[in-house]
Amino acid sequence: MQNIKLNNGVEMPILGFGVFQIPDANECEKAVLEAFDCGYRLIDTAASYMNEAAVGNAIKKSNIPREELFITTKVWVQDVSYEKTKIAFQKSLDLLQLDYLDLYLIHQPYGDIFGSWRAMQELYAEGKIRAIGVANFHPDRVMDLIVNSGFTPAINQIETHPFDQQISTQEFLQNNNVQIQSWGPFAEGKNNIFNNDILLAIGKKYDKTVAQVILRWLTQRGVVAIPKSIRKERMLENFAIFDFELATDDMQLIQTLDTNESLFFDHRDPNMVKWLSERKLNL
């Protein structure tokens, strides 16, 4: 497994396993255990996914040494403030049955993010989190956080796939020493991605599937990816991307698919800001 080094020197796998939209506890626990069997060591969850306990059970049952794992979770909008984040962090830690986190993210750029960020910096300083970062922050929000907190996030996890490639955002993040991480690497199947002519042709050239081409393209760009599947054969397929390298012309060909627009929603849309901010979960 290839690792990348974060801005504080902590290393993390460039390829992990995400558990978004696996709400059933038994299914999630089984999926994480199978992901471990396949070789994944980075697991990405979130308080809002409502499956941290299942992930924690899988971690415990796996008997994999803690230092070999890289566990990420995220604080949801309703717990974004200094006091609430401290409480939410401990809840997540308890559900995951861990005594420290590898990465803790602010899930959405709304609410009292500076209060949360201060709480996370304290938890980081206490050794309870190895790295802290954000998710779904546009570059202006990242810069605001860096400049006005004086503490640079290690990661920004954002929508990144062949139809929204985040080329300029990745350049901005690199220039500011922030690692880009992709969510939705397969665009959740939108735009008929698995039958895209360009991706199919490139896959045929390397005897790889479209999913493998996409994950190779992301990791070759230095983008951390966290694909999800509940099928073990897909997990194995997604993991087998380190035995080939895409040529420069193929990387450029994939770049032609970029629309530079989200396939999901705009985090700056006032209606979406309102909906996400008012969404209360039983955490």
Side-chain angles (χ1 to χ4, degrees), residues 64-236:
I64 296 172
R66 176 66 182 91
E67 63 273 16
E68 292 183 15
L69 299 175
F70 193 99
I71 308 300
T72 302
T73 193
K74 313 175 191 77
V75 60
W76 184 241
V77 181
Q78 69 196 54
D79 289 322
V80 170
S81 75
Y82 176 83
E83 293 82 7
K84 289 180 180 177
T85 293
K86 286 284 185 82
I87 295 169
F89 167 78
Q90 191 57 52
K91 280 185 184 175
S92 289
L93 209 58
D94 292 343
L95 289 170
L96 289 163
Q97 304 175 57
L98 300 174
D99 53 13
Y100 70 90
L101 278 179
D102 296 283
L103 180 64
Y104 197 37
L105 306 180
I106 297 177
H107 203 152
Q108 302 288 349
Y110 312 134
D112 180 14
I113 60 166
F114 284 93
S116 276
W117 196 235
R118 189 158 49 89
M120 290 164 68
Q121 287 175 67
E122 289 182 4
L123 293 164
Y124 172 73
E126 293 166 7
K128 295 179 179 176
I129 312 172
R130 297 177 67 218
I132 59 177
V134 296
N136 301 305
F137 276 47
H138 282 270
D140 61 314
R141 297 292 82 219
V142 173
M143 184 56 78
D144 182 31
L145 190 63
I146 292 172
V147 171
N148 290 303
S149 76
F151 196 101
T152 300
I155 286 263
N156 187 18
Q157 185 183 115
I158 52 177
E159 175 186 350
T160 312
H161 49 71
F163 304 121
D164 190 8
Q165 303 190 6
Q166 306 283 5
I167 302 291
S168 61
T169 297
Q170 183 178 12
E171 184 178 352
F172 163 82
L173 293 173
Q174 285 174 332
N175 290 339
N176 287 281
N177 209 16
V178 181
Q179 174 65 43
I180 183 174
Q181 183 175 30
S182 156
W183 64 254
F186 305 139
E188 296 188 4
K190 292 179 185 291
N191 284 9
N192 202 19
I193 193 169
F194 294 111
N195 292 301
N196 179 274
D197 289 341
I198 289 176
L199 297 172
L200 281 169
I202 293 173
K204 187 176 181 182
K205 179 177 175 182
Y206 295 90
D207 194 23
K208 293 290 182 181
T209 65
V210 165
Q212 289 171 323
V213 168
I214 292 170
L215 293 173
R216 181 66 211 182
W217 164 75
L218 283 168
T219 55
Q220 209 164 302
R221 286 177 53 198
V223 178
V224 178
I226 45 170
K228 179 208 82 174
S229 178
I230 57 172
R231 294 168 58 185
K232 191 170 184 179
E233 66 271 22
R234 296 289 188 211
M235 297 178 198
L236 287 167

Side-chain angles (χ1 to χ4, degrees), residues 28-79:
C28 183
E29 182 180 321
K30 178 174 178 285
V32 174
L33 281 168
E34 289 184 340
F36 286 148
D37 283 344
C38 294
Y40 294 87
R41 291 297 179 266
L42 160 59
I43 304 296
D44 182 278
T45 183
S48 67
Y49 300 171
M50 313 284 280
N51 55 19
E52 289 172 313
V55 172
N57 289 337
I59 292 170
K60 192 173 183 179
K61 287 182 180 176
S62 74
N63 290 319
I64 296 172
R66 176 66 182 91
E67 63 273 16
E68 292 183 15
L69 299 175
F70 193 99
I71 308 300
T72 302
T73 193
K74 313 175 191 77
V75 60
W76 184 241
V77 181
Q78 69 196 54
D79 289 322

Side-chain angles (χ1 to χ4, degrees), residues 2 206-208 212 216 219-220 236-246:
Q2 179 184 337
Y206 295 90
D207 194 23
K208 293 290 182 181
Q212 289 171 323
R216 181 66 211 182
T219 55
Q220 209 164 302
L236 287 167
E237 175 187 325
N238 294 340
F239 200 72
I241 61 164
F242 297 105
D243 59 350
F244 76 112
E245 184 171 336
L246 294 169

